[in-house]
Amino acid sequence: MKRVISSLLIATALVGSAIQPAAARDRHHHNDTGRAIAGGVAAGVVGGLIGGAIANSGPRYVDGPRYVEPAPRCWYEDRDVRNRYDGGYHTETVRVCE
């Protein structure tokens, strides 16, 4: 919607500036009304194309995955571990994850 509105505003500004005011038109005593309107329409079309291209040139966002696997829950526990040297046990802090 923002793109459409900005394109319309640009086209309106270009058409308004392309059409001559009535006082200037009457001063020349020429019947150039058709050419002025055609020029305004052409300027509006060109302005709309340029404005639309500028409005669409913004960054594009890509959606990431919808579901992300939660990280495993980990904690540290003291556990008895067999001693390699004498066959006994000693206590070590071990990281345990689910």
Side-chain angles (χ1 to χ4, degrees), residues 15 31 33 57 79 89:
V15 168
N31 191 4
T33 306
S57 66
R79 293 197 175 174
Y89 288 91

Side-chain angles (χ1 to χ4, degrees), residues 1-12 14 43-60:
M1 188 68 177
K2 180 180 175 184
R3 295 176 189 159
V4 173
I5 291 173
S6 65
S7 297
L8 287 174
L9 288 174
I10 290 171
T12 305
L14 291 175
V45 169
V46 171
L49 290 173
I50 293 172
I54 291 171
N56 287 331
S57 66
R60 305 215 185 274

Side-chain angles (χ1 to χ4, degrees), residues 27-49:
R27 200 171 355 157
H28 294 291
H29 303 291
H30 293 258
N31 191 4
D32 291 334
T33 306
R35 280 195 264 172
I37 291 174
V41 170
V45 169
V46 171
L49 290 173

Side-chain angles (χ1 to χ4, degrees), residues 72-79 93-98:
R73 197 175 131 234
C74 297
W75 63 92
Y76 291 95
E77 289 183 355
D78 289 335
R79 293 197 175 174
T93 304
V94 180
R95 185 176 182 212
V96 180
C97 295
E98 285 184 339

